[in-house]
C-alpha cells in the first residue's frame, strides 16, 4: 500500500506556505500555492523524481502565486483557480511590486477554472474544491481524498491521525488568527458562511493554511466562535 507525502515550504517575503503533495507509489504530484521561488520548486520536483500533474491556487493574492511563471515554463501542466479571483492574478505583478518595493516576474493566467464541488484527480488521490469566499471572492479550500489503497498521510514526515481528513485552506482559516477582510472585495458575511461550511467537517480534520502552523479544525480560532 502506498502513502501520501505533503511537504510544507514557507516561501517569499510574506512567508507563505506552499505545499507539495505526492504519492509514493505513482509519484504523481501537485503544487498548491507556488508562493515564490519557482526555481526551488522546480528543483524539488526533479530531485524527488515526481510527476507534476497540476498547480493549484487557493486564491489570487500575489504572495501565493509568484513562483507560477517559472513552474509554467518548466512543466506543461494545468493551473487551477476559481474564476472570481482571476482579476487578482491579472493585478498580481503590480500588487507585488507595490507592496514589496522591487520588481517581480509577471504572473501567467491560470489555464483552468475550478468551481465549488469540482475535483482534480491524480492517480492515487483526489482534491475536492470547496468554494469559501470572504477573504477574496474566489477563495477555495481543497479537501484531500486518498484512494482506498493509501496506507497513511505524512506531513513533513509526521503521520496524521489515521482516518482523518486533510484540507488545504489558503487564507480562509488560520490556527491563531483571522483572515484579513479589509480589502474592498472582501466580505465578512461570506467569510462567516464559509467558516460554517468548514465547521461541518470532522473536528480532527487537519487544516493546512496559507500562513503559519498546520493544525486540526478544533484548534483554530474559527472553531471556538
Amino acid at each position: 500500500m502506498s502513502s501520501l507525502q505533503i511537504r510544507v515550504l514557507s516561501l517569499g517575503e510574506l512567508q507563505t506556505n506552499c505545499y507539495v503533495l505526492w504519492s509514493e507509489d505513482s509519484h504523481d504530484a501537485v503544487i498548491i500555492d507556488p508562493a515564490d521561488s519557482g526555481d526551488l520548486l522546480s528543483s524539488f520536483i526533479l530531485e524527488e523524481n515526481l510527476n507534476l500533474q497540476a498547480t493549484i491556487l487557493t486564491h489570487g493574492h500575489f504572495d501565493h502565486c509568484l513562483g507560477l511563471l517559472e513552474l509554467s515554463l518548466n512543466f506543461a501542466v494545468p493551473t487551477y483557480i476559481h474564476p472570481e479571483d482571476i482579476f487578482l492574478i491579472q493585478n498580481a505583478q503590480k500588487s507585488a511590486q507595490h507592496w514589496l518595493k522591487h520588481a517581480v516576474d509577471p504572473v501567467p493566467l491560470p489555464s483552468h477554472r475550478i468551481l465549488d464541488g469540482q475535483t482534480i484527480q491524480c492517480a492515487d488521490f483526489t482534491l475536492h474544491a470547496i468554494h469559501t469566499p470572504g477573504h477574496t471572492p474566489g477563495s477555495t479550500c481543497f479537501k484531500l481524498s486518498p484512494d482506498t489503497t493509501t496506507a497513511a498521510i505524512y506531513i513533513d514526515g509526521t503521520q496524521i491521525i489515521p482516518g482523518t481528513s486533510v484540507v488545504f485552506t489558503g487564507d480562509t482559516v488560520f490556527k491563531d488568527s483571522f483572515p484579513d477582510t479589509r480589502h474592498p472585495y472582501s466580505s465578512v458575511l461570506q467569510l462567516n458562511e464559509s467558516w460554517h461550511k468548514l465547521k461541518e467537517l470532522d473536528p480532527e480534520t487537519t487544516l493546512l493554511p496559507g500562513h503559519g502552523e498546520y493544525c486540526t479544525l478544533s484548534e483554530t480560532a474559527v472553531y471556538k466562535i
Side-chain angles (χ1 to χ4, degrees):
M1 297 181 76
S2 180
S3 295
L4 299 182
Q5 296 286 344
I6 300 171
R7 182 65 57 86
V8 186
L9 301 169
S10 182
L11 302 176
E13 295 174 53
L14 300 186
Q15 295 293 286
T16 302
N17 290 334
C18 169
Y19 298 99
V20 185
L21 162 65
W22 74 94
S23 162
E24 287 189 333
D25 188 10
S26 68
H27 284 206
D28 276 6
V30 299
I31 291 177
I32 298 170
D33 286 348
D36 206 340
S37 307
D39 54 345
L40 182 152
L41 292 171
S42 296
S43 295
F44 184 90
I45 294 296
L46 296 174
E47 289 167 5
E48 296 293 332
N49 194 31
L50 302 180
N51 306 314
L52 187 63
Q53 300 294 304
T55 305
I56 302 166
L57 301 177
T58 60
H59 63 293
H61 280 157
F62 73 83
D63 59 309
H64 291 255
C65 61
L66 289 182
L68 188 56
L69 177 62
E70 187 152 355
L71 282 174
S72 66
L73 293 173
N74 292 334
F75 303 98
V77 300
T79 301
Y80 293 87
I81 194 172
H82 192 281
E84 290 191 43
D85 268 17
I86 289 293
F87 77 100
L88 290 171
I89 296 295
Q90 292 171 329
N91 294 322
Q93 183 184 31
K94 182 178 178 180
S95 296
Q97 291 176 166
H98 171 77
W99 292 107
L100 302 180
K101 309 302 181 187
H102 61 74
V104 301
D105 287 337
V107 178
L109 287 178
S111 58
H112 288 61
R113 299 352 181 204
I114 189 159
L115 300 173
D116 185 58
Q118 292 184 335
T119 60
I120 299 169
Q121 181 73 52
C122 290
D124 302 315
F125 60 88
T126 304
L127 289 163
H128 300 262
I130 307 171
H131 185 212
T132 50
H135 177 60
T136 68
S139 286
T140 301
C141 298
F142 292 90
K143 183 180 179 182
L144 170 62
S145 293
D147 76 6
T148 55
T149 65
T150 297
I153 300 173
Y154 294 88
I155 302 173
D156 286 343
T158 299
Q159 185 178 356
I160 68 165
I161 300 171
T164 58
S165 298
V166 172
V167 178
F168 300 87
T169 66
D171 288 359
T172 295
V173 178
F174 302 119
K175 181 177 181 180
D176 298 314
S177 61
F178 296 97
D180 187 357
T181 54
R182 293 172 294 176
H183 307 292
Y185 47 77
S186 299
S187 168
V188 174
L189 178 61
Q190 285 187 323
L191 188 58
N192 271 283
E193 292 172 349
S194 295
W195 288 343
H196 282 295
K197 185 186 296 187
L198 293 177
K199 286 166 72 173
E200 295 175 0
L201 299 170
D202 186 321
E204 294 308 306
T205 297
T206 297
L207 304 185
L208 297 170
H211 301 272
E213 302 175 70
Y214 67 88
C215 61
T216 63
L217 176 59
S218 63
E219 293 176 314
T220 64
V222 166
Y223 192 76
K224 301 165 187 174
I225 60 174

